[in-house]
Amino acid sequence: MDYLRKVGAIVWKDVTAELRTKDILSSMLVFALLSVVIFQFAFDLRADNVRLVLPGVIWISITFSGVLGLSRSFILEQDRGSMEGLLLAPMDRSAIYFGKFLGNLLFIFIMELVLLPVASVFFNIWLLTPSLILVLVLGTFGFAAVGTLFSALSINTRAREVMLPILLFPIMVPVLIAGVRATGSLLDGETLGDISHWLRLLLAYDAIFFAAAFLLFDFVVEE
């Protein structure tokens, strides 16, 4: 219980800091919404063809705007000088990773809750279905798990703003492929049973990379 209380304290710190500054959510929301608007006007396709490009539009908007939030997560700690305080706090450093991961996950979910209705209106396809939300939740979990680790890794590099996407996107290829293919299949009318192989891939990715990031975080911040 003491461990969970410390994790909750880190999440609450990030939420209250975000409520004061709105640094992370505002940049993520603006980028995601602009992406949807630009894609909608750029493609200008007939209704039958929208389903071919919409999965890519959704996942590009989520991943690129998510990277903005992930990169700010630890950079703000570094710029405020609070990173040293977190590392010196009398708690297991995995609690820092878990707390930052949950905070990042929360911010990305909020961005998706705004993005999906807007994309539904612009592309005239309702996206807030339980099956599609399940795919997005599984993909977002793995994205936030790996992104939180790489965000901590990149803050001490010279080009820290550029380093995160360079490190993150090659590792994210399985999630992006599974997410886009599963989303496209659901938009074509297939069921969760038809895309079970993509769901298993997302589940395996989430379990493996969350465990790896959880174990490696102490080593990353120590270095």
Side-chain angles (χ1 to χ4, degrees):
M1 290 300 292
D2 187 56
Y3 182 86
L4 294 178
R5 186 174 58 80
K6 292 171 181 174
V7 171
I10 293 174
V11 176
W12 180 246
K13 175 190 72 64
D14 283 356
V15 171
T16 52
E18 179 60 24
L19 289 176
R20 285 198 300 269
T21 64
K22 299 176 179 59
D23 281 340
I24 296 177
L25 270 178
S26 58
S27 59
M28 293 171 66
L29 288 172
V30 168
F31 187 91
L33 297 179
L34 278 177
S35 299
V36 170
V37 173
I38 291 170
F39 278 125
Q40 202 279 337
F41 285 106
F43 288 123
D44 192 21
L45 298 173
R46 295 176 302 170
D48 291 342
N49 293 332
V50 168
R51 296 178 187 276
L52 297 176
V53 298
L54 188 52
V57 172
I58 293 172
W59 281 96
I60 287 174
S61 302
I62 290 174
T63 51
F64 278 81
S65 58
V67 165
L68 285 179
L70 290 169
S71 65
R72 300 296 294 164
S73 176
F74 279 99
I75 286 176
L76 290 176
E77 300 285 1
Q78 188 85 334
D79 292 345
R80 294 166 181 161
S82 56
M83 192 64 195
E84 289 80 6
L86 280 176
L87 296 177
L88 291 173
M91 62 181 173
D92 192 317
R93 287 177 177 172
S94 64
I96 301 174
Y97 169 79
F98 200 21
K100 300 297 284 186
F101 160 74
L102 290 176
N104 289 329
L105 196 62
L106 175 65
F107 295 146
I108 297 174
F109 280 153
I110 293 173
M111 178 268 294
E112 291 175 350
L113 284 176
V114 177
L115 172 69
L116 292 182
V118 173
S120 298
V121 171
F122 273 88
F123 289 91
N124 199 27
I125 297 176
W126 186 242
L127 298 171
L128 289 171
T129 61
S131 53
L132 183 54
I133 290 174
L134 174 63
V135 171
L136 290 175
V137 167
L138 292 177
T140 304
F141 187 97
F143 176 55
V146 180
T148 301
L149 178 69
F150 284 151
S151 175
L153 180 65
S154 63
I155 56 171
N156 290 320
T157 59
R158 183 175 301 176
R160 58 187 187 180
E161 300 279 3
V162 180
M163 191 58 66
L164 178 58
I166 293 175
L167 294 172
L168 181 58
F169 284 133
I171 304 296
M172 284 295 300
V173 167
V175 170
L176 295 177
I177 292 175
V180 170
R181 294 297 296 273
T183 302
S185 298
L186 291 174
L187 293 180
D188 289 337
E190 296 186 17
T191 64
L192 287 177
D194 298 326
I195 62 166
S196 60
H197 53 297
W198 296 119
L199 297 179
R200 287 196 295 271
L201 174 59
L202 289 173
L203 281 170
Y205 183 97
D206 291 351
I208 293 171
F209 281 91
F210 179 74
F214 196 77
L215 295 173
L216 290 173
F217 183 77
D218 192 7
F219 174 76
V220 167
V221 294
E222 192 68 35
E223 290 297 314

